[in-house]
Amino acid sequence: MRRAAVVTLGKLPPETLATHADVLVAKLEHTNSSVRKSVTKTLDKLPPEMLAAHADALVAKLRADFKVTVHENVSLYTLRHATDEALAKLE
């Protein structure tokens, strides 16, 4: 049921989806891995500037289970797509 709700939220326009981002970030702690995976896919639909507003919370949640490295002044969108420009900023 929760996974279906997250998938449904993912169908909203980014501006509307952004109003639910706090709730989605909180669901990264859900016990069901399918829910967590759906949350990450749904958050990925936010434009970088909207996602950046939740970056601290996302990193904190992810650090609980994963090794997370944060690079200042590199957008999540650019890094995700691994462009030459993004990679040059890391060097």
Side-chain angles (χ1 to χ4, degrees), residues 1-19:
M1 179 74 152
R2 294 198 189 272
R3 184 181 163 289
V6 172
V7 170
T8 300
L9 284 173
K11 295 177 182 178
L12 295 172
E15 296 77 21
T16 306
L17 178 60
T19 65

Side-chain angles (χ1 to χ4, degrees), residues 4 7 9 18 23 25 49 51 58 65 79 86:
V7 170
L9 284 173
V23 173
V25 169
E49 64 278 1
L51 187 57
L58 285 168
D65 295 317
L79 262 182

Side-chain angles (χ1 to χ4, degrees), residues 65-79:
D65 295 317
F66 304 99
K67 178 183 177 188
V68 176
T69 303
V70 177
H71 297 279
E72 297 294 323
N73 301 317
V74 178
S75 75
L76 295 172
Y77 181 82
T78 304
L79 262 182

Side-chain angles (χ1 to χ4, degrees), residues 3-69:
R3 184 181 163 289
V6 172
V7 170
T8 300
L9 284 173
K11 295 177 182 178
L12 295 172
E15 296 77 21
T16 306
L17 178 60
T19 65
H20 301 283
D22 289 334
V23 173
L24 289 168
V25 169
K27 294 299 175 209
L28 287 171
E29 294 182 6
H30 199 279
T31 56
N32 185 313
S33 64
S34 293
V35 172
R36 294 191 307 269
K37 184 176 181 179
S38 293
V39 168
T40 58
K41 286 183 176 185
T42 300
L43 288 172
D44 188 47
K45 295 177 181 180
L46 291 173
E49 64 278 1
M50 291 180 182
L51 187 57
H54 302 280
D56 291 339
L58 285 168
V59 169
K61 302 270 188 233
L62 292 171
R63 278 195 171 137
D65 295 317
F66 304 99
K67 178 183 177 188
V68 176
T69 303

